[in-house]
């Protein structure tokens, strides 16, 4: 099955700086890569996703890049704000039939 | 749109009893529902995938007789933890994927289970 690795496990940045979280996957059949934000005790919320026919996608301060050849994808958050503090999970899926999550990154934005 | 609810949100039970958790898609029809387990400060572990009207597909290492999943309609899936033991204590989260064909899944708020 699919194996998704995520780094770093914890990340602290100063407010206004950028944060980058990286994930790798093993199954070349995976073609959908969502990113979720989970605040303590709450449900994961989809923040951005990318499909394998696209190399990059941006939504305001959030961007995701995908390198299919190397089987890795990254989340970029620019101009970080304290409310960005949360745990972020990447996931890989094959047409949405199964989702495999990374181990999570706890992001702390220091005011 | 795309709201998923879970019930109960909290449950405490004695060892040996069974607990049923309901997952409902409130404003969309979920062809597929997923059940996850999450330990404190850890990732979401996929337990099983269920399609409406058919048997659930369990991930390796997940006991199907222990975690009974029923997906009787396009808006309801249930997870029953049978003969619960303290090691089953965890946060259980369901998600639903729409019939529209998009891959996006929408998560429920989770159910925290504590087995004494």
């Amino acid at each position: 099955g699919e194996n998704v690795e995520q780094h770093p496990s914890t990340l602290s940045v100063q407010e206004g700086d950028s944060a980058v979280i990286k994930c790798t996957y093993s199954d070349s059949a995976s073609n959908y890569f969502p990113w979720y934000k989970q605040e303590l005790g709450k449900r994961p919320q989809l923040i951005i996703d990318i499909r394998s026919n696209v190399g990059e996608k941006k939504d305001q301060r959030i961007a995701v890049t995908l390198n299919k050849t190397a089987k890795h994808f990254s989340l970029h958050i620019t101009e970080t704000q304290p409310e960005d503090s949360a745990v972020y999970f990447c996931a890989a899926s094959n047409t949405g039939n199964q989702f495999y999550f990374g181990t999570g990154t706890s992001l702390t934005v220091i005011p | 749109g795309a709201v998923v609810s879970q019930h109960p949100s909290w449950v405490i039970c004695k060892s040996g009893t069974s607990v049923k958790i309901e997952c409902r898609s409130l404003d969309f029809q979920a062809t597929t529902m997923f059940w996850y387990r999450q330990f404190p400060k850890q990732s979401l572990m996929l337990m099983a995938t269920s399609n409406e009207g058919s048997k659930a597909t369990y991930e390796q290492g997940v006991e199907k007789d222990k975690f009974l999943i029923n997906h009787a309609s396009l808006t309801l899936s249930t997870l029953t933890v049978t003969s619960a033991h303290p090691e089953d204590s965890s946060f259980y989260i369901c998600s639903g994927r729409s019939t529209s064909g998009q891959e996006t899944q929408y998560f429920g708020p989770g159910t925290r289970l504590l087995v004494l």
Side-chain angles (χ1 to χ4, degrees):
Chain A
E2 174 68 277
N3 181 42
V4 179
E5 295 189 356
Q6 184 171 345
H7 300 279
S9 57
T10 59
L11 179 61
S12 293
V13 299
Q14 290 289 335
E15 181 177 359
D17 287 350
S18 295
V20 180
I21 303 170
K22 299 181 179 181
C23 287
T24 61
Y25 62 101
S26 60
D27 188 351
S28 56
S30 291
N31 56 12
Y32 173 63
F33 307 93
W35 285 89
Y36 293 88
K37 175 183 180 183
Q38 187 178 30
E39 296 176 12
L40 189 63
K42 296 188 177 180
R43 75 187 80 192
Q45 298 275 10
L46 177 70
I47 56 172
I48 196 167
D49 56 15
I50 191 167
R51 292 175 175 80
S52 59
N53 58 347
V54 175
E56 184 173 359
K57 184 177 178 181
K58 190 173 181 180
D59 182 4
Q60 299 182 334
R61 297 187 295 108
I62 296 172
V64 58
T65 59
L66 171 65
N67 183 327
K68 283 171 51 181
T69 304
K71 296 199 189 77
H72 66 70
F73 55 113
S74 301
L75 177 71
H76 304 253
I77 305 173
T78 58
E79 300 172 30
T80 54
Q81 300 166 3
E83 50 265 39
D84 294 330
S85 297
V87 179
Y88 291 81
F89 292 100
C90 63
S93 175
N94 181 355
T95 63
N97 291 323
Q98 291 168 302
F99 288 82
Y100 296 96
F101 282 77
T103 48
T105 297
S106 178
L107 172 65
T108 302
V109 179
I110 304 165
Chain B
V3 178
V4 175
S5 70
Q6 268 182 254
H7 177 81
S9 55
W10 257 106
V11 58
I12 302 173
C13 68
K14 291 183 179 180
S15 186
T17 60
S18 294
V19 175
K20 180 186 280 189
I21 302 170
E22 292 186 350
C23 176
R24 293 182 185 273
S25 56
L26 299 185
D27 55 0
F28 71 101
Q29 293 186 320
T31 309
T32 305
M33 285 187 167
F34 305 91
W35 285 95
Y36 297 87
R37 187 172 178 177
Q38 187 176 34
F39 292 103
K41 298 185 178 181
Q42 293 191 24
S43 187
L44 294 102
M45 184 192 78
L46 179 64
M47 298 175 65
T49 303
S50 74
N51 291 295
E52 184 262 339
S54 58
K55 290 184 179 181
T57 301
Y58 290 80
E59 293 298 302
Q60 192 173 10
V62 179
E63 300 174 56
K64 61 181 68 175
D65 295 331
K66 172 77 172 174
F67 300 99
L68 300 178
I69 292 172
N70 184 274
H71 191 163
S73 76
L74 287 172
T75 58
L76 173 64
S77 177
T78 60
L79 167 68
T80 302
V81 183
T82 62
S83 187
H85 291 284
E87 56 266 29
D88 299 324
S89 300
S90 189
F91 192 51
Y92 293 88
I93 306 180
C94 71
S95 70
R97 188 165 73 91
S98 157
T99 56
S100 67
Q102 295 298 308
E103 301 97 331
T104 307
Q105 59 174 330
Y106 301 95
F107 284 90
T111 296
R112 196 163 298 282
L113 169 64
L114 177 61
V115 185
L116 302 177

